[in-house]
Amino acid sequence: MIKTGFKLRTTNHEPRTRLASALIIAVILTSLLAIIGMMFVMIARVDKMSTSAISQNKDLDSVAEAVVAKISQELVLDVPGVAGQEYYDYPDANSNAWLASLEPYKSGTNYYWRRISDIYNRLDANDLPAGIVPDYQSSIAEDVSADADGDGVADSKWVKLDDITSSKGKSIYAAVRIVDNGAMLNVNTAYEFDPNAGSSNRIDGSSQTQIDLFTLAQRSLSNTIGQLDDARFGDEPLPHNLDDYIRDVVWRYNEPDGNYAPFDISDELEIRNRFTLNRTGVDCRLENFWADAFKGAGYLSTPVTVTAGNYSDWLEEVHYDSLVPTAYSYRHIGTIYNMDRIITPDCNKMTNINTADVNTLCESIRRILSDANYPDVNSVSAQIAVNLIDFRDSDSNDITVYYNPDDDESYYGFEQPCIYISELAHKFKQDSVDPTIVYTSYAIELYKPYAGDSDPCGWQLVSGGGKIQINNWTAGEQYYVILNEDPCVPLDVNTGTTVQPYSFSFAAGDEIELQRPLPGGGHIKVDSKVVPDPCGGWLDYSGNPRSIQRDIDRHKCIRRLWAGAADVCTPTLGSYNSYSSSDSNMIQAHPENKPFTNIGEIGMILRKRAYPDQYVPYAMNSNDTEATARVDLADPNFQKLFKYFTVLDPAVYSWNDPNETRVKGRININTAPWYVLAQLPWVSQKSSGNDDANLARAIVAYRDQDNLLSSGGPDYSGRSGEPGFRGIGELNRVVAGPDNYSMNYYILGAERNIDLPGFPDLTTPAPSLGDGAPYDFEERDVIFSRISNLVTVRSDVFTAYILVRIGRDGPQKRVMAILDRSNVYPGSGKVRVIAIHPVPDPR
């Protein structure tokens, strides 16, 4: 066995090593346990925070829904006929405290909101300065300025909500701004207004499509009306037909009938975003079809801030400045969804004057005028009703007869054809040999001012008990002569005139009556003339032909202006009379015999009986003027008619319920900015070609009791009454200041005594001719008539911007809601929430 020098030895270090390892393991395990414990704590805290955040978010959602419910309640209570509410929607402190102004106004160098929403009736809600506030205010309190819509500018105030707290018992605050979609242009119903359009039904104010949306495209010369057609007509085949679009889209309330592609709620939510802010990462279809119309390079995409210095840019977007017109934002004046209803102050459907029967019309007019304490209300209401029926119907022969049990009288309408006694002529001559022999000739001339009227079938002349039947009036002739002629003393009659020989005579004091048949039998006197006394020098035996003549200037016939007995005239039988009265007052009184185009045309109706009757105090006579004979729209009593009558009626479309009252796309004159009002037909288009918007500015100034003195306009700051329009008829009070600031433009200044040669006057015989009645009520009221179908004083669709916060410095949330109350009636219906949408953070 071999031995080595190496010796294996053992030591006592092994137990120590094992101990160290155990300690290390223990430390590691302890650390791990600590980490795990911390993680559990952190997870618990995160869970708690998450739970708290979820709870807070639910609280904010619940509060937002509660605010929407409160707004809905206010909208219900504001419906006419509910709780005795007023008829109009104007942002004021009376009954519309919930409604805010759409745009600020300028005073000096500062801007203010005339009115902010106060749904809880606790705020000083007038004239809030439009100052900058941060998107998140570090601390708030009640009545402190807030930014409800989120564009960076104060537009509301914080309110601490009563009886509502968070799940942890914290106070809840809300700021609310409610604006009227009726103050905006509906991009699905508006279209184009071209005063040079060849068709009258494109510029007569009969359709919402005549509200001028195309003007908004004028920022870019490349924009065309065809682009709008392509966007809205969708897959409808060419050529696009506007009448089909009106029928299948404008007057349908759900899906359009056809392959049309109107703009939808996604477009609405985008252009309603934070009032005017453009979300650059989201482009809806409405923003893309016209360059620079609903979005543009200059549009703000983030809220106004002090550091950004973009407050002036915001002002230019929300308040039109003629120095920078391209900066004005169309987003806040465009909508895809607005609506109002044709309802009366008691929330019943308005009466359609084109379809209502005479009993309904008479009762409605009587009720309206009785409320106004109008004199002779029974006779006036009945007479207006029968005249209205005969003005609108297609029949030219049958006079409407209405027995009014309220006064036990029968009333007779004014119907085509319009025929008058225009001349009485004679020629007397004694025989030169036997003076007891007298040769006599007599003539009665009848005149039809409107050659296109039908002939007077069954009419008769009555004098001294004798009756002369009128036979064989030649079609198209305006004169008709009944002649009893002695060959020895002939009376010349214009060649081509219808002459009816008849043996008759007249003597001084005889009344010659022109009578027309009644539909139920018998006749009614529609005109008359008493033969003058010979002492006046009219009847003589000189052998010279003599006549007494009536002024037959168009629209003066109805006033029965005759030459005096001493005014001996040479006969003009069968031609225009030589007599013309110095009295220049005219009354255009010719029944159209077609439906009313606009409700404003009710001012064409006579409120008096058109036929002479000495026993009827409301019969017309030679002293009458338009103001005394017609429904005068300058009279506040008759302005009330527009709260009860309409011609724009959804029921005329067969698929609509006959009780349907909703109308899309009309403009609320109480809330719309002047720039929107300027897009109404004829408001900014004058016959001289002057395209200004002074009338639109004047309407707003009257409404808000402002003055336009700085621009040479009228001062309405001191006008009587409360601000706002109570009915559209009050537009006829906007008549102060220079000519182009007045609703009466077409009878003022350069237009005075100029017979309006064409549009907007639709009774003109030819585009280049007048209607023969310059400076008449039709021309005075023509602008109002053209817009009367398209304007309203109330609305049913609103946008609510809602900002809610937990505590004075807690989390907050913005939401936007589109609310529709068009189905709310007294005792039935509820507000429909079209959309409730969280407003994303600005980026």
Side-chain angles (χ1 to χ4, degrees), residues 207 300 350 406 598 624 707:
S207 169
L300 294 176
M350 285 182 172
D406 293 324
N598 315 96
D624 274 308
N707 75 75

Side-chain angles (χ1 to χ4, degrees), residues 529-639:
K529 178 59 183 174
V530 175
V531 178
D533 190 286
C535 296
W538 187 66
L539 292 169
D540 72 358
Y541 293 91
S542 66
N544 296 317
R546 302 292 181 94
S547 80
I548 182 169
Q549 300 173 2
R550 180 190 205 138
D551 187 339
I552 59 171
D553 288 336
R554 181 171 282 194
H555 313 307
K556 291 174 72 173
C557 293
I558 198 170
R559 300 187 59 235
R560 301 176 177 84
L561 300 173
W562 285 83
D567 297 324
V568 178
C569 302
T570 301
T572 57
L573 299 172
S575 60
Y576 208 79
N577 288 356
S578 59
Y579 172 70
S580 181
S581 170
S582 60
D583 187 333
S584 61
N585 289 302
M586 292 186 175
I587 301 176
Q588 186 172 177
H590 182 245
E592 290 287 311
N593 282 134
K594 64 180 183 181
F596 288 87
T597 302
N598 315 96
I599 186 59
E601 291 172 348
I602 200 171
M604 294 291 294
I605 300 300
L606 295 174
R607 71 174 187 261
K608 284 197 170 185
R609 182 171 176 169
Y611 310 129
D613 194 325
Q614 61 179 321
Y615 302 109
V616 178
Y618 52 88
M620 283 190 59
N621 57 58
S622 60
N623 295 321
D624 274 308
T625 63
E626 285 194 294
T628 61
R630 276 180 32 184
V631 175
D632 185 0
L633 302 188
D635 185 337
N637 294 303
F638 292 118
Q639 290 171 4

Side-chain angles (χ1 to χ4, degrees), residues 369-380:
L369 296 182
S370 294
D371 291 343
N373 295 317
Y374 195 84
D376 300 322
V377 63
N378 288 325
S379 59
V380 172

Side-chain angles (χ1 to χ4, degrees), residues 88-345:
Y88 64 96
D89 290 322
Y90 173 80
D92 61 16
N94 297 325
S95 300
N96 298 289
W98 51 272
L99 186 59
S101 303
L102 181 64
E103 290 186 352
Y105 73 92
K106 186 177 182 180
S107 178
T109 59
N110 299 316
Y111 289 80
Y112 301 86
W113 299 104
R114 187 176 301 277
R115 182 76 194 174
I116 62 173
S117 295
D118 182 16
I119 64 173
Y120 296 99
N121 296 305
R122 296 215 304 264
L123 300 174
D124 178 7
N126 294 314
D127 301 305
L128 176 72
I132 300 174
V133 296
D135 200 56
Y136 182 87
Q137 295 165 273
S138 58
S139 182
I140 62 171
E142 182 160 311
D143 213 31
V144 170
S145 296
D147 174 21
D149 59 29
D151 60 359
V153 178
D155 54 31
S156 54
K157 288 184 177 182
W158 289 104
V159 174
K160 183 180 177 182
L161 305 188
D162 294 334
D163 303 323
I164 300 179
T165 59
S166 72
S167 57
K168 294 185 178 182
K170 289 191 175 182
S171 299
I172 301 293
Y173 291 83
V176 177
R177 181 177 185 228
I178 305 168
V179 295
D180 177 17
N181 286 36
M184 309 171 194
L185 298 169
N186 189 318
V187 296
N188 277 334
T189 60
Y191 186 64
E192 179 184 27
F193 175 71
D194 179 2
N196 299 310
S199 177
S200 65
N201 66 358
R202 293 288 180 262
I203 56 175
D204 59 6
S206 61
S207 169
Q208 304 94 305
T209 56
Q210 294 175 26
I211 297 173
D212 193 10
L213 180 65
F214 185 49
T215 290
L216 276 61
Q218 302 305 305
R219 288 180 177 174
S220 172
L221 297 177
S222 63
N223 291 342
T224 67
I225 196 68
Q227 292 169 322
L228 178 60
D229 286 342
D230 292 340
R232 298 196 308 194
F233 276 80
D235 294 331
E236 280 294 300
L238 295 172
H240 293 151
N241 186 298
L242 185 59
D243 291 329
D244 290 345
Y245 183 86
I246 293 171
R247 182 190 67 238
D248 297 333
V249 177
V250 174
W251 287 107
R252 285 191 182 269
Y253 300 95
N254 297 310
E255 292 295 323
D257 184 19
N259 297 314
Y260 298 97
F263 302 108
D264 59 25
I265 194 64
S266 63
D267 299 272
E268 182 73 17
L269 293 176
E270 167 61 10
I271 62 172
R272 293 282 75 76
N273 176 62
R274 292 178 176 259
F275 189 33
T276 61
L277 301 192
N278 176 31
R279 286 189 291 179
T280 56
V282 178
D283 287 338
C284 65
R285 199 161 57 92
L286 178 61
E287 293 176 301
N288 289 327
F289 84 98
W290 272 341
D292 298 326
F294 294 97
K295 72 168 185 177
Y299 278 19
L300 294 176
S301 58
T302 57
V304 175
T305 63
V306 175
T307 55
N310 52 3
Y311 181 59
S312 60
D313 295 333
W314 178 85
L315 291 175
E316 291 170 356
E317 289 191 8
V318 302
H319 187 276
Y320 187 91
D321 187 337
S322 59
L323 299 178
V324 282
T326 57
Y328 185 62
S329 169
Y330 294 155
R331 300 173 67 85
H332 74 289
I333 61 167
T335 181
I336 63 103
Y337 195 84
N338 63 5
M339 191 178 297
D340 75 302
R341 288 174 285 174
I342 49 170
I343 55 175
T344 65

Side-chain angles (χ1 to χ4, degrees), residues 630-651:
R630 276 180 32 184
V631 175
D632 185 0
L633 302 188
D635 185 337
N637 294 303
F638 292 118
Q639 290 171 4
K640 293 180 172 64
L641 295 174
F642 299 103
K643 297 180 182 180
Y644 295 87
F645 293 117
T646 186
V647 301
L648 199 69
D649 187 354

